[in-house]
Amino acid sequence: HAMVAVRSGGWMRGVFCGGIIVTAWVVVIIGIVMMTTVAVLLHRWGTSRGQHLVSPWFYAFPLLLAGPFPFLLRALLDDVSVAMQARNHVFPDYGVPPLHDAEQYRNLFCFPVKKYYLDSGIREADYNEVAERWFEEYRRLFTNAALREYAQKILTHFKEKGYRQVVLSASRMDVLKEQITHFSVNSYFDDVLALDDIHARDKVFLAEEYFAGRSYDRIIVIGDTSHDYDVAKAIGAQMIFIANGHESLQKLEKQNQTIAKSLLELLRIV
């Protein structure tokens, strides 16, 4: 009897364990279906709010697939007054009157910068010379500029949250690196993207090259010009404008995107 009991018991244990395994697989399959459904719904909700998701699975498995959130953070430097000073120093030599306030400048400024020059009254034949002179004057004056209020605070906040922060600029690379070093913000940025000349033509291709082959769950472009929104659209990113930069609020409002009046307000938006 003992031996029979053991065999019987072993058979029953086998059935019991098999039942647990079958039940477990049923639970797993049901769980996967439920999480997939939730993930897809959240993905649709996220993209409707402007969030770019490479994969809806990010929401289903945040602990497994939560990756960095790349930021293209450009609108940190309050250099409008320096840009105007450089303009007012150079442009009058070519028959263009000086500007008297920042709103005049913001209403005129646009990308590509050559269009801004020509719209201001610079002749096509003089463009290269004027651009060189403006660049040298700006470079001489840029240390008079300052970081926007709360710039250090917001950079620290996003770094502590695990965000990747990337500078994307139409500046020439060597000058951009001078500025980043001068304002002691090197340590906050994972990458720096800039051009190899002074003509500030286009930033879209820089962003497209950088993100080609990279997978991130969310990308946010933070900038102060309509051209920054061109960048956001090209890489499927959410756009947040910072007011009081190089373009007027009226021009930014025409893009129908989120606008933060300050970097502090940005903390409440993101």
Side-chain angles (χ1 to χ4, degrees), residues 2 7 33 38 48 71 73 139 176 199 201:
R7 292 181 62 190
V33 171
V38 172
S48 72
F71 262 65
L73 197 53
R139 193 172 189 177
L176 180 60
H199 299 292
R201 296 183 182 91

Side-chain angles (χ1 to χ4, degrees), residues 12 32 41-42 68 75 97 100 104 112 120-121 123-124 144 165 167 179 182 187 199 202 207 217 219 234 236 255 263:
M12 289 300 293
I32 289 173
L41 290 174
L42 285 172
H100 300 293
Q104 281 184 289
S120 297
R123 296 186 308 126
E124 175 92 33
N144 295 332
Q165 299 183 100
V167 176
Q179 292 176 322
H182 174 75
S187 61
H199 299 292
D202 188 358
D217 42 82
I219 305 172
Q255 306 302 322
L263 290 182

